[in-house]
Amino acid sequence: MSGVAVAEVPRESAAVPRRRREGLWWVRVRARVAAVAVVLAGLALPVAAATPAAADPGTFAYVANLNSNSVSVIDTGTNTVTATVPVGTGPNGVAVNPAGTFAYVANGGSGNVSVIDTGTNTVTATVPVGTAPFGVAVNPAGTFAYVTNFGSNSVSVIDTGTNTVTATVPVGSLPTGVAVNPAGTFAYVTNLGSNSVSVIDTGTNTVTATVPVGANPSGVAVNPAGTFAYVTNQSTNDVSVIDTGTNTVTATVPVGTSPFGVAVNPAGTFAYVTNLNSNDVSVIDTGTNTVTATVPVGTFPSGVAVNPAGTFAYVTNGSSSNVSVIDTGTNTVTATVPVGTDPAGVAVALVPASTAACPVGSVITGGGFELTGPAPSNLTSKPVNDTWLVSFTNPTTQDITVTPYAVCADNTP
């Protein structure tokens, strides 16, 4: 989980107030709740000129830009934005299914979820849910998506096969984060307004336990073994560690100021916590439940996700409108990627390769793809959707097969 919700409350002004270092947890929530789209006319998003420590082919990070009403797609092999996908109003939470074929984006301001086809980076469905959807998680089978509705104190259960809501589960006050255990049997929901975690039995879609935690919990993540859930408590500046076998808090770990998002690496050995008001990430050794490193990042970090290889963590910095890429081996930032305005949720996934046969004269766009056929002589670049992509016209007398992550268009540049 990573992001914050948007609720239907009176707006204080026509623009979201700046939230540099005001301090209290509600500053972040209220700023998110306002959900005012701040769009800078004519602004094109530049691509980061950073070189990653190691290539990460086929893996992409999906970043929800709260005040750009879009999702930035980052090729993690090059740490560049390769697509910008328009979605609903005030997108916050984002999750990708295990197959890597669809991304689900909770749009707090429009009360729905955008379903993005990762092969084409287009929205193929929009699913109405509750009021001010906040966080989203997909079960390991990829059959259901769970969406927290910040404004209606409930969780919408989406059948991903039909893209319809098949159940609505009442939970605590102001539900924010959500995570599903590896077995797919339970979903854990943080209730920011009631200082608790609701445990949903996914077989019956009922709450079977409520676990008291710290003050104003927001983010939640479950380790790969399914034995512990990690909950960030904004107002007590700590992380509650829940034993999922007993649904009790067995440890409390002090971290930075206003911890918000949390993610656990695939090995289950470390948890990464974003601290909104200390502008850093706390790295928790899950074996000892102690902080072993603190990594400075951008301003107002909120969302965090770890790549499938466990080698990099991606952190959204809301007030600096970029993503910090942390090398988990050295706990240092090795790249900074500009994205949209006020990035919130982030998810990282391996996306299946796609192959396209591009006819003679067609325009080929994409990032990080390989070519089969004669090498083109007129390789150029052009802006597409506020992003710079590799683009060229097939100059040969035969088709070129492009794989993966490319799109063909039967027109001229």
Side-chain angles (χ1 to χ4, degrees), residues 54-390:
D56 201 7
T59 302
F60 293 84
Y62 296 82
V63 178
N65 302 307
L66 183 75
N67 285 323
S68 295
N69 301 330
S70 65
V71 169
S72 296
V73 182
I74 299 173
D75 182 332
T76 63
T78 59
N79 284 326
T80 57
V81 173
T82 57
T84 302
V85 186
V87 289
T89 305
N92 181 73
V94 58
V96 180
N97 67 347
T101 50
F102 292 99
Y104 299 83
V105 182
N107 303 306
S110 49
N112 54 31
V113 171
S114 295
V115 182
I116 298 174
D117 183 324
T118 61
T120 60
N121 284 322
T122 57
V123 173
T124 56
T126 302
V127 186
V129 289
T131 305
F134 189 114
V136 58
V138 181
N139 69 344
T143 50
F144 292 99
Y146 298 83
V147 181
T148 57
N149 301 307
F150 188 85
S152 49
N153 300 329
S154 64
V155 170
S156 296
V157 183
I158 298 174
D159 182 322
T160 60
T162 60
N163 285 324
T164 57
V165 173
T166 56
T168 301
V169 185
V171 289
S173 173
L174 306 180
T176 54
V178 57
V180 181
N181 68 345
T185 51
F186 293 99
Y188 299 83
V189 177
T190 56
N191 303 304
L192 187 142
S194 51
N195 301 332
S196 64
V197 171
S198 296
V199 183
I200 299 174
D201 182 324
T202 60
T204 60
N205 285 322
T206 57
V207 173
T208 56
T210 301
V211 185
V213 289
N216 308 121
S218 55
V220 58
V222 180
N223 68 344
T227 51
F228 294 100
Y230 299 83
V231 177
T232 56
N233 304 305
Q234 290 191 57
S235 289
T236 46
N237 299 327
D238 54 31
V239 170
S240 297
V241 182
I242 299 174
D243 182 323
T244 60
T246 61
N247 284 324
T248 57
V249 173
T250 56
T252 301
V253 186
V255 288
T257 308
S258 300
F260 192 79
V262 58
V264 180
N265 69 344
T269 51
F270 293 98
Y272 298 83
V273 176
T274 57
N275 301 305
L276 290 175
N277 286 324
S278 51
N279 300 328
D280 54 28
V281 171
S282 297
V283 182
I284 298 174
D285 182 323
T286 60
T288 60
N289 284 323
T290 56
V291 172
T292 56
T294 302
V295 186
V297 289
T299 307
F300 236 71
S302 58
V304 58
V306 181
N307 69 341
T311 50
F312 294 97
Y314 297 80
V315 176
T316 58
N317 303 305
S319 290
S320 46
S321 296
N322 57 28
V323 171
S324 295
V325 182
I326 298 174
D327 184 322
T328 59
T330 61
N331 284 322
T332 57
V333 172
T334 57
T336 302
V337 187
V339 289
T341 306
D342 202 1
V346 57
V348 183
L350 180 65
V351 176
S354 58
T355 300
C358 300
V360 174
S362 63
V363 175
I364 304 169
T365 61
F369 53 78
E370 298 177 356
L371 303 177
T372 301
S377 59
N378 60 337
L379 188 65
T380 60
S381 295
K382 69 173 183 177
V384 177
N385 294 332
D386 294 333
T387 305
W388 286 93
L389 297 177
V390 173

